[in-house]
Amino acid sequence: MNMRPSPSILAGAAAGGLATAPLLALLYLASQVVGAPFVAFSLFDWLARTLPGPVITFGIDLMVSVIRALNLGATDRAAKTAEAALAVGLVVIAGMALGGLLFALLRRSPGRAGGLPGLTLGAVVGGVLAALGLAFPAGATAHPVVSVLIVGAACLAWGRALVWLYNALLERPESRAEASTTPADARAIDRRQFLVRVGGATAAITVVGAGVGALLSRRLDDAAPAVTADGAEAAASPPAWSDLNPLPNAGDPVAPAPGTRLEFTPVRDHYRIDINLRPVIVEEDGWKLQVFGQVNNPL
């Protein structure tokens, strides 16, 4: 088979985007099934703590202004949704850039590419993302070793898929006009058709993976402790100080007056102002509050 001109860097960017979308969907599914870190959120949390303060402030102000101008709903929830979309978009853009870079390197050598460059790129990306996932777990509950294995294996497969796409595009005519000159028994779909078909397959994987992950996430939310009419959680919890030391009015019902809010606000209804994309999971047994600074008795 006569080799066609090497796929362009732009084709590499398209391939990077097509490969990154299902990668994120599968990692999101893994975060819901086994509690692995969702690396897009980990990357975003790292950027939120690394970028200069004025940049973060400008981004927050801009986001709040857009939410209010378009009346997108409660500011805290809409902002978290926008941040999640931005986190995913950043990873997809990074994947496109890395895909274009890989194709640029592969174009330097004629003919088919071996799998080593893609595996090397996948190992580097996987190492960086796994480190971010451990440093910023974003609500992950899986063992660190399991998290590293999942992220590493997924990124290795992503890098290998990029090389496969490069070789597949290399063997296809560049346009319909060129394909028309190919003998009928050896004619193949052109590169644009191939990318469209690959895009359809990756879209299906992405939708299925993200959809199943979202369904599992919703079921976990539904399984959270129920909140009673007075705002208290119905699930069993360690005895509070007031239970061990009852107050004189401990037996009085705590009922809100008509038209007013609950005496206790359920956790899920609190306005979120934290910097994390996902609420931090706090282990009560090991949680400590350090009091230090300009105090006489640090503890």
Side-chain angles (χ1 to χ4, degrees):
M1 177 180 294
N2 294 327
M3 291 298 177
R4 307 294 176 180
S6 300
S8 65
I9 297 177
L10 184 61
L18 292 175
T20 304
L23 168 70
L24 285 174
L26 294 176
L27 287 176
Y28 178 70
L29 179 60
S31 72
Q32 299 301 321
V33 175
V34 299
F38 186 47
V39 293
F41 290 174
S42 299
L43 175 62
F44 190 87
D45 288 343
W46 173 73
L47 288 174
R49 291 163 173 81
T50 304
L51 292 176
V55 176
I56 299 297
T57 302
F58 172 78
I60 293 175
D61 292 341
L62 178 62
M63 185 183 306
V64 172
S65 299
V66 172
I67 291 173
R68 291 178 176 175
L70 299 180
N71 193 22
L72 298 179
T75 303
D76 59 337
R77 296 183 181 180
K80 288 303 176 185
T81 301
E83 289 175 0
L86 181 59
V88 171
L90 287 174
V91 175
V92 172
I93 293 174
M96 295 176 66
L98 292 172
L101 176 62
L102 179 63
F103 273 40
L105 295 176
L106 296 179
R107 284 167 57 90
R108 300 171 66 90
S109 300
R112 291 175 57 86
L116 183 59
L119 293 176
T120 302
L121 178 62
V124 172
V125 173
V128 173
L129 293 181
L132 287 175
L134 295 180
F136 303 94
T141 57
H143 190 278
V145 175
V146 176
S147 299
V148 171
L149 290 177
I150 291 176
V151 174
C155 290
L156 287 175
W158 169 81
R160 187 64 182 86
L162 286 178
V163 174
W164 176 82
L165 287 171
Y166 178 87
N167 290 331
L169 290 171
L170 184 67
E171 296 172 354
R172 282 169 168 77
E174 201 161 8
S175 65
R176 291 180 180 271
E178 187 177 355
S180 63
T181 62
T182 305
D185 56 348
R187 186 175 300 165
I189 60 174
D190 60 39
R191 292 176 178 175
R192 181 176 300 177
Q193 288 177 317
F194 176 74
L195 287 175
V196 169
R197 294 187 181 184
V198 172
T202 56
I205 297 174
T206 303
V207 170
V208 171
V212 174
L215 180 61
L216 292 175
S217 177
R218 183 174 301 177
R219 288 186 176 181
L220 291 176
D221 291 340
D222 293 340
V227 178
T228 60
D230 63 356
E233 291 187 352
S237 59
W241 181 90
S242 59
D243 296 331
L244 302 177
N245 304 273
L247 299 174
N249 62 343
D252 294 338
V254 181
T260 64
R261 60 177 175 80
L262 299 175
E263 183 70 18
F264 299 104
T265 302
V267 174
R268 66 182 66 186
D269 292 337
H270 274 277
Y271 185 89
R272 285 193 61 191
I273 58 173
D274 60 304
I275 196 173
N276 302 292
L277 272 175
R278 284 179 174 173
V280 178
I281 297 177
V282 178
E283 298 293 342
E284 296 182 10
D285 294 338
W287 185 85
K288 295 180 180 179
L289 175 63
Q290 183 181 8
V291 181
F292 63 101
Q294 295 182 354
V295 294
N296 292 330
N297 301 307
L299 52 87

